[in-house]
Every structure is written in C-alpha cells, then in structure tokens.
Amino acid sequence: MTESTSAEQFGSSRVKRGLAEMLKGGVIMDVVTAAQARIAEDAGAVAVMALERVPADIRSQGGVARMSDPDLIDSIIAEVNIPVMAKARIGHFVEAQILEVLGVDYIDESEVLSPADYMNHIDKWNFTIPFVCGATNLGEALRRINEGAAMIRSKGEAGTGDVSEATKHIRTINGEIKRLTSMSRDELYVAAKELQAPYELVAEIATTGKLPVVLFTAGGVATPADAAMMMQLGADGVFVGSGIFKSGNPEQRAAAIVKAVTFYDDAKVIADVSRGLGEAMVGINVSDIPAPHLLSTRGW
Amino acid sequence: MTILSRVGTRPTETALPAGLRVGVLALQGDFREHAQVLRELGAEVDLVRRPEELDRIDGLVIPGGESSVMDKLARIFGLAEPLKAAIRGGLPVYGTCAGLIMLADTVLDGMNGQQSLGGLDIAVRRNAFGSQTASFETDLDVAALGDKPVHAVFIRAPVVETVGPRATALATLDDGRCVAVEQGNLLGTSFHPEITGEYRFHQYFLQKLVAAAR
C-alpha cells in the first residue's frame, strides 16, 4: 500500500468502476487450479475467476457451493499477473471480507454459489474492493448498482453451454435501457416503480442511454461464435465459465475466444479461430433443467 | 497555443487542422473513452486493430487495459512489428497505463515472455502498487499542463522506475515516483485522463501531432 500521499483516495466508485473499464473487450475465465490460471493467462484472459468447482460441476455434483479455500485463491494469485476475481455467496458478507483481505481484485457476488441470504445482498459500499453482480434484467442490475456493485454481468444460465439465457438477459437489459431513453419524466417515475429501482438511477440511465457501470455477459458461452454474438449484442466483455476447461482443448479454445471478442464484428476472423477446436463442452439445454436447479433465478 | 488555452474545460470548437486522423489501438481496454475524448477535441478517430489501419493515421493512442493481452494480440495479428517501425519513424503515440507499459523500453514484473513496443527510454514496473484495493485517485501537479492540478486515477497502475537520459519526467507522486513521461513524439501516463474528464493530456498530445504533420 502507498499511503504516503495524504490526498490519495482508495476504494472510490471511480476507482472501483475504473478497473472494470480496463477489462472491457476482454475475456474473464473461470479457473479452479493455479495450472488452469496459467493456461488462461497465457491464452490472453484479462482476468481469472477463482472458484472451487466450475458451474457445470456444481450442477452435476450438487450440494452447497461456497467460497473457495483461501489456499487455492492464494495459489492462483501467486501464479498470475492479471487481476484475480473470486466468488462469494449472495449475501455472505463475511466471505466477502475474507476475499478482500486475501487481496483478490474483484469479488463476484454470485448466484452460481448457494445463496447465504434469501432476502438481502451484500452492502457493497462497505468495502474497498469492488464487486461484480449478476442480473437478468435492468431492475435487478440497478438494485445491485444501488447496493454498490461496480460492474454488472448478465447471468445467463451458468454451467450449461446453452447460450440462450445469456442472449435473453443481455437483450432484456439493453432493451429496457432503450425503452427508458424514450420516456418522459412522468413515465420514468412509474418505470422506477416497475423496475423496483431508485428513481435517480432510472433517470440517469434515461439520459445517458447506458448503465453507469460496465456490463459483461456470462452463463452458457462455449464457443468463439457465442462470445462474438454477446459482443455484437452490446456486451462490454465476456465471462467464460465451464466452457473452456470442460472442453476438449482448453488452451486453444481459450485463445480462440479471446480473439473472437476482439474481432467480434469480423466473421472471417471468427471463422478462422473456430477451426479445429475439438470438442466443445457437452452442454445441457436450459429447457431441460427443472426449475429448482436454475441458477439465474437466484438473486432478488 | 490555441489548443492549450482551453485547459480543463470541454472545448466547443477545434483548432486542429482538418483531416488530422488519430488512431486508437482497439485490441482490448478502454479505447472507446479515448476515442470519445479525441472526438470532442475535434480529431477524426479510427479504431485500429489491423496492420493496414496504421497507414492512414497521424498518431496513435494506446489505451488502458491489460498490457499482456494487448501485447499478445498485437503480435498474433501482425501489428507489433509495423507499430515498432512507425514509432521509430516518429509516429506520435500516447499510452495510458497499459499503453505506457507498451511504450516502455523495459518492463519489470511483466508476464512470461511479455514484450513491449518500446520507444520510451524508461523502465516501467507493471502493477506497482499491488492489488485493486491499493488503487487510488489523487491530484497531481503537472507543470507542462499549467497550474491547475490533474486529477489522476491509478488502477493497478504501473510506475516509471527509471527515467533514461532521453526521456523526461512530467509528473511524480509525493513520494517521488514518476507517473508521466515524454520523449519527442511519445507521451505516457500511469493514470487515466480518459475517464476523469481531463482533456489536457490529449490536447498536449494533439499538439505533437500537429507539429509532426507540418
């Protein structure tokens, strides 16, 4: 820490949101070991997400999914130079306190883990470390931002390899933002009520036409084409969870997805990087998952 | 100079010669923020991802982001070598944070095999402050930009550890560490004027373009 300068300000919204700004146009990859973190960094990930089991395994093995072991997180931080994110359970502010002292760069308050509180999310303003939170629609995104989230990720349905929910969520969020920009003030009061979000945030978005924080997409991205599609739909960047390390050739797939995100609007590059990647993750159709096992409905 | 006369305020008109084209390296990072600042200053802006896109620009901004990712993509897509040649040939380039690392002749604490484009006679330490909780904002005195301090945001920022004889320090933290440098047509800052509404560094950079274009 450099606290020699009296006027230095740590943990401000600008500093928290700023790191997410620098991750834009990049791919954040789920990793469960230091060796996977090495592969992710070498492939060009802008950050890694440290967790104990990728969502596909959480889904197949069941049980309560919690924050990772601090030793695992330490080993991943020691392995890579890029930012390290880690997941805390929804509402589990002590897991968040632990992750902050471990020196991770961003906390994901994530529906992929088992929620610790079915009423409240973490009061993220209490922390110096920034948080990213999931959202399926604009109201949910704004409630998280109001609680202090410095980055939003559309949820999708993690651990499926089925991109349809990710598509739905990014389209929903951006569609609702567009709708706000066409509203008069009297309509915005009603919109705030319907979105269950603070009027001030709603009014701000009606003026700017975008979220005040960076918006990544997650949940079901398994191919370079999936990632590029999310970018064309307006995502600032992409999280890839099970899609890389549950595939046949993680190194090559990870590097291909990185290239597809940079050249998201160039079908020729995306075609080239899509060749010979081997088996994609097996995948489950979201429509085949019984409702109690849907992760995207966690969070309130 | 007319460009500097609008210090710290959003300019309403431009004193730039018509047709001056500034590239922003758009492989990864906050390139849209730089493009926006440059457009508001009256420049024509091209996002640059391919080697052939370097041919028509008069200067280049390398944005904030992840330097190791930019390095990899620049090499894979054939941008690194033409960019190095252009820098040697006098192309004005401004780098913020990751961009500063890309412009440094020497990178300390870089990734395995990380390369920079070079050009600035400096040694930069990557991520010199530690994890994100050590990121901060503060006011800096930058004599080259006038009396009003620069509000600077440092995000997992690099620091210039050694300023070689050909480079000049433009700003230091209170503890003496150098965070802004220039050398001929090259300019680099550890921090991000593009996200704080600070236009003076970009104006200062555009002056280099104007001078180089003459």
Side-chain angles (χ1 to χ4, degrees):
Chain A
M1 298 276 280
T2 49
E3 276 152 348
S4 53
T5 310
S6 53
E8 287 174 1
Q9 201 192 340
F10 297 86
S12 63
S13 282
R14 189 180 260 160
V15 166
K16 288 174 169 176
R17 293 174 181 185
L19 177 55
E21 297 284 348
M22 301 312 145
L23 301 175
K24 286 192 298 192
V27 183
I28 300 170
M29 302 180 191
D30 277 5
V31 297
V32 301
T33 63
Q36 289 186 354
R38 164 68 22 230
I39 291 171
E41 184 175 272
D42 288 346
V46 283
V48 290
M49 175 74 70
L51 70 174
E52 214 146 53
R53 294 180 284 171
V54 292
D57 288 335
I58 292 173
R59 194 175 281 292
S60 64
Q61 294 162 5
V64 175
R66 310 180 178 88
M67 180 193 81
S68 300
D69 186 315
D71 281 343
L72 173 75
I73 292 168
D74 283 348
S75 71
I76 289 171
I77 291 173
E79 182 64 36
V80 296
N81 284 306
I82 54 177
V84 175
M85 300 182 163
K87 288 184 193 287
R89 282 179 270 178
I90 289 174
H92 207 315
F93 50 86
V94 175
E95 284 188 349
Q97 290 163 6
I98 293 169
L99 293 174
E100 186 173 51
V101 300
L102 290 178
V104 305
D105 297 292
Y106 237 95
I107 295 175
D108 184 1
E109 186 182 17
S110 178
E111 71 284 355
V112 167
L113 305 184
S114 309
D117 187 331
Y118 281 89
M119 289 293 287
N120 311 291
H121 283 251
I122 297 170
D123 176 4
K124 293 165 274 286
W125 298 112
N126 274 337
F127 291 80
T128 304
I129 190 170
F131 284 74
V132 53
C133 288
T136 58
N137 57 49
L138 182 60
E140 199 176 353
L142 296 184
R143 289 193 292 279
R144 297 296 84 81
I145 293 168
N146 194 45
E147 295 156 3
M151 177 179 186
I152 295 293
R153 108 190 115 62
S154 65
K155 284 180 182 172
E157 187 59 33
T160 60
D162 177 350
V163 81
S164 63
E165 288 293 290
T167 306
K168 181 163 95 187
H169 298 155
I170 187 94
R171 278 193 187 275
T172 301
I173 291 169
N174 284 332
E176 287 173 317
I177 290 173
K178 260 185 237 151
R179 225 177 109 246
L180 288 186
T181 61
S182 67
M183 287 183 177
S184 58
R185 181 137 43 123
D186 49 0
E187 293 169 325
L188 288 175
Y189 293 123
V190 181
K193 184 193 77 178
E194 287 171 352
L195 289 167
Q196 299 178 51
Y199 170 76
E200 291 68 26
L201 268 177
V202 170
E204 181 189 334
I205 286 160
T207 309
T208 62
K210 61 187 184 74
L211 288 181
V213 302
V214 164
L215 172 64
F216 269 48
T217 292
V221 174
T223 68
D226 289 348
M229 177 169 157
M230 294 304 114
M231 296 299 288
Q232 287 197 27
L233 287 172
D236 289 319
V238 175
F239 284 86
V240 185
S242 321
I244 291 172
F245 290 101
K246 285 284 158 189
S247 75
N249 187 344
E251 290 87 349
Q252 206 185 338
R253 183 167 294 268
I257 292 175
V258 168
K259 292 173 197 163
V261 165
T262 292
F263 289 91
Y264 67 93
D265 55 354
D266 186 333
K268 195 179 167 306
V269 173
I270 302 165
D272 284 346
V273 304
S274 299
R275 291 173 204 278
L277 293 182
E279 201 115 345
M281 71 177 283
V282 175
I284 315 166
N285 290 306
V286 172
S287 54
D288 295 339
I289 301 173
H293 298 291
L294 288 174
L295 303 176
S296 63
T297 55
R298 295 171 171 177
W300 15 92
Chain B
M1 279 286 268
T2 42
I3 298 176
L4 267 190
S5 65
R6 287 183 297 269
V7 163
T9 57
R10 191 168 288 218
T12 52
E13 56 173 294
T14 173
L16 291 175
L20 203 66
R21 199 167 272 281
V22 188
V24 181
L25 191 66
L27 296 172
Q28 189 273 319
D30 69 338
F31 49 85
R32 286 197 188 85
E33 283 62 30
H34 279 287
Q36 181 66 25
V37 170
L38 292 164
R39 282 194 191 104
E40 287 181 27
L41 290 170
E44 305 263 343
V45 178
D46 276 0
L47 297 182
V48 172
R49 291 178 299 181
R50 300 173 182 84
E52 61 270 24
E53 290 161 350
L54 290 171
D55 296 343
R56 51 181 189 181
I57 56 171
D58 302 299
L60 181 73
V61 171
I62 307 180
E66 187 44 62
S67 61
S68 62
V69 175
M70 286 182 208
D71 164 41
K72 280 188 192 88
L73 291 170
R75 282 191 275 149
I76 291 170
F77 289 96
L79 268 161
E81 289 309 318
L83 249 176
K84 283 181 198 171
I87 291 169
R88 277 196 302 271
L91 181 76
V93 185
Y94 173 30
T96 63
C97 197
L100 169 69
I101 296 171
M102 293 290 282
L103 286 176
D105 280 346
T106 307
V107 179
L108 308 168
D109 286 348
M111 221 133 299
N112 287 343
Q114 180 165 353
Q115 296 176 18
S116 65
L117 301 167
L120 284 171
D121 181 17
I122 56 172
V124 160
R125 187 168 300 280
R126 201 179 161 281
N127 194 17
F129 298 91
S131 78
Q132 169 64 10
T133 50
S135 294
F136 62 97
E137 45 186 313
T138 192
D139 284 335
L140 285 178
D141 290 322
V142 186
L145 300 183
D147 290 339
K148 188 170 164 268
V150 166
H151 190 69
V153 182
F154 293 82
I155 297 166
R156 284 177 48 101
V159 151
V160 181
E161 282 208 348
T162 314
V163 181
R166 284 173 290 136
T168 310
L170 292 180
T172 56
L173 293 170
D174 286 357
D175 61 13
R177 288 191 283 179
C178 173
V179 290
V181 288
E182 78 176 318
Q183 179 182 330
N185 281 338
L186 303 178
L187 180 66
T189 58
S190 299
F191 49 90
H192 298 278
E194 73 276 11
I195 62 168
T196 53
E198 169 63 71
Y199 288 78
R200 287 175 292 170
F201 274 99
H202 291 81
Q203 287 170 328
Y204 191 75
F205 174 62
L206 289 174
Q207 284 186 314
K208 291 183 186 293
L209 260 80
V210 173
R214 273 196 195 116

